[in-house]
Amino acid sequence: GLTADHRLFDKQIEHFEEKCNVFVWDAPGHAASWPFEFDFDLTDKARWLDEILTTENIHYPVIVGQSMGAYVGQMYAQIYPEKLKAFISIDSAPLQKKYYTGIELWLLKKMEPVYYYYPWKALLKSGTNGVAVTEYGRKLMHEIMMTYDGDKKRYAELSGHGFKMLAEAVEKELPYEIKCPALLICGEKDKAGSCIRYNKAWNKDTGILIEWIKDAGHNANTDRPDIINEHIEKMLERV
């Protein structure tokens, strides 16, 4: 997820590390992948991910992406449809342009100054309480956000670039068709942007199964890791 790092999937790593070949990254510009020039796009991220997977001898991955991570997963599916074994989106949205209004895309490209001039304490509060509803989920996101404490410029640049990159990927108007087995997961209390609206439309248009997670916000895999792990298990059994 944008501004989050590998720790967001601690509960999934803990559950699956003895059962599967598991890989989680710090996306470009995040945590250990910093410093990093913000001159890349979503295509670059998907290609770098594939290079890492190839280097690690991981073939036909099941990609599980939360928020921004699922945009990377969709771009991966666009570039490497023959490589993707399965795709799971957690609290994300489709990349097809038809789902977005013109004003939404315009705003996505103008977010960096919004974050830069927003008071840090308010950002910290909304960035933790706004994405999770459980004590564990909020505490974890607070710890992750404290990575940027004292360097709001980096946080603003990282966030602004991420949203701009998303808008530009949408404006490419590529098919972004998911040809492998797929699952949509969304927290019933997800208040991040229009995630719930996007997921309802995504499910309706594509027929991809959606699981609504009770008592979970935008970071559903930290709020209800037991349920999310169960759904991932079912997908692994299926493929």
Side-chain angles (χ1 to χ4, degrees):
L2 187 60
T3 75
D5 56 46
H6 68 276
R7 287 174 283 179
L8 197 73
F9 282 89
D10 279 353
K11 295 293 185 183
Q12 283 67 53
I13 296 296
E14 184 183 300
H15 181 82
F16 288 101
E17 64 183 347
E18 299 299 327
K19 304 177 182 182
C20 308
N21 190 8
V22 189
F23 163 80
V24 62
W25 75 347
D26 286 333
H30 295 66
S33 297
W34 175 261
F36 212 103
E37 291 294 326
F38 294 121
D39 58 359
F40 57 92
D41 63 13
L42 203 60
T43 302
D44 292 323
K45 281 183 83 168
R47 291 193 187 282
W48 292 333
L49 175 59
D50 185 63
E51 287 177 15
I52 294 168
L53 293 172
T54 301
T55 301
E56 295 297 327
N57 203 29
I58 298 171
H59 306 289
Y60 305 108
V62 173
I63 288 185
V64 182
Q66 188 271 343
S67 198
M68 179 59 75
Y71 298 131
V72 180
Q74 289 174 77
M75 184 61 82
Y76 191 95
Q78 172 67 33
I79 304 171
Y80 309 105
E82 75 289 348
K83 290 187 177 185
L84 196 55
K85 189 78 171 177
F87 169 71
I88 299 175
S89 165
I90 301 174
D91 296 288
S92 190
L95 277 177
Q96 289 93 342
K97 193 177 180 182
K98 66 179 179 179
Y99 294 100
Y100 298 83
T101 64
I103 190 68
E104 282 175 325
L105 292 172
W106 183 84
L107 285 169
L108 282 170
K109 291 185 277 189
K110 305 291 182 183
M111 291 305 293
E112 184 177 333
V114 174
Y115 282 102
Y116 185 74
Y117 290 108
Y118 209 72
W120 175 244
K121 283 186 177 179
L123 268 180
L124 194 59
K125 185 177 180 181
S126 64
T128 54
N129 295 349
V131 297
V133 298
T134 62
E135 184 182 352
Y136 169 76
R138 288 179 173 178
K139 184 173 181 287
L140 177 65
M141 198 60 199
H142 184 272
E143 288 172 5
I144 290 172
M145 282 195 70
M146 287 303 287
T147 303
Y148 312 101
D149 191 38
D151 195 356
K152 193 169 71 168
K153 183 175 183 289
R154 176 187 166 190
Y155 183 83
E157 285 181 351
L158 183 62
S159 301
H161 174 262
F163 287 121
K164 182 171 178 282
M165 182 170 59
L166 165 59
E168 288 171 348
V170 169
E171 288 173 341
K172 285 184 178 181
E173 297 193 62
L174 297 171
Y176 299 118
E177 186 182 354
I178 307 297
K179 296 180 179 179
C180 61
L183 174 67
L184 309 179
I185 292 173
C186 189
E188 287 185 354
K189 296 182 179 179
D190 189 334
K191 293 184 173 68
S194 303
C195 247
I196 288 179
R197 172 170 66 83
Y198 289 138
N199 274 277
K200 284 180 178 177
W202 199 0
N203 162 252
K204 184 179 178 183
D205 288 353
T206 64
I208 298 174
L209 177 67
I210 188 164
E211 296 287 356
W212 296 99
I213 311 302
K214 191 179 178 183
D215 300 324
H218 188 60
N219 296 359
N221 58 302
T222 67
D223 279 339
R224 295 302 307 273
D226 51 341
I227 301 295
I228 304 304
N229 293 345
E230 208 173 283
H231 287 307
I232 296 172
E233 289 255 22
K234 286 177 183 175
M235 175 61 81
L236 294 177
E237 287 168 9
R238 178 181 167 192
V239 300

